[in-house]
Amino acid sequence: MAWKKWIVGAAVGAAAICAVRAAAKPTLLAPEQALAMAKRALGGPRPIRGSWIQVAPEQYEKNGLTYTVYRGGVCRDDGDAEFFVNAYTGAVIEAKPL
C-alpha cells in the first residue's frame, strides 16, 4: 500500500513541475498583436495607410544582442518604413525607411 502512495505522490509532483515549467516559458505574441503595437508606436502625426508583417519569427542581431523578431512595414503618403518588433514584448527594435 505504501508504494501506491509513493507513485501517486511522484505523479502529482511531476505534473506540478511540468505545469510550472510551462507557465514560466515566455510565449510569442501573435503577429497581429505585434503589428498593432508597432503601428501604435510608429504612428505619430502621420497617418498609416497600409501595413504588413511576416508571420514567421526570425533572429535579428543589433548591438551584439540577438532578438527573436517579426519583420514588418508601414506605408505612408510620405514614404514607407520597415520595422523589426520583438516577438515576445512587442517593442520596436529598429525602424528604417525603405
Side-chain angles (χ1 to χ4, degrees):
M1 188 64 135
W3 62 273
K4 288 181 183 179
K5 289 182 182 180
W6 186 86
I7 289 175
V8 169
V12 169
I17 289 172
C18 289
V20 168
R21 283 187 182 170
K25 190 179 219 181
T27 59
L28 291 173
L29 291 173
E32 295 81 14
Q33 284 180 304
L35 178 60
M37 295 170 88
K39 285 171 64 174
R40 278 194 301 272
L42 298 172
R46 302 174 299 172
I48 295 174
R49 60 180 167 83
S51 61
W52 59 272
I53 193 161
Q54 290 182 345
V55 296
E58 59 186 64
Q59 298 297 312
Y60 181 73
E61 186 173 334
K62 182 174 181 182
N63 298 330
L65 298 173
T66 302
Y67 300 95
T68 301
V69 299
Y70 291 117
R71 179 190 304 242
V74 292
C75 302
R76 297 187 177 106
D77 290 332
D78 61 347
D80 301 338
E82 179 181 39
F83 63 82
F84 297 91
V85 61
N86 189 315
Y88 292 105
T89 65
V92 175
I93 296 173
E94 184 175 6
K96 55 187 175 183
L98 289 176

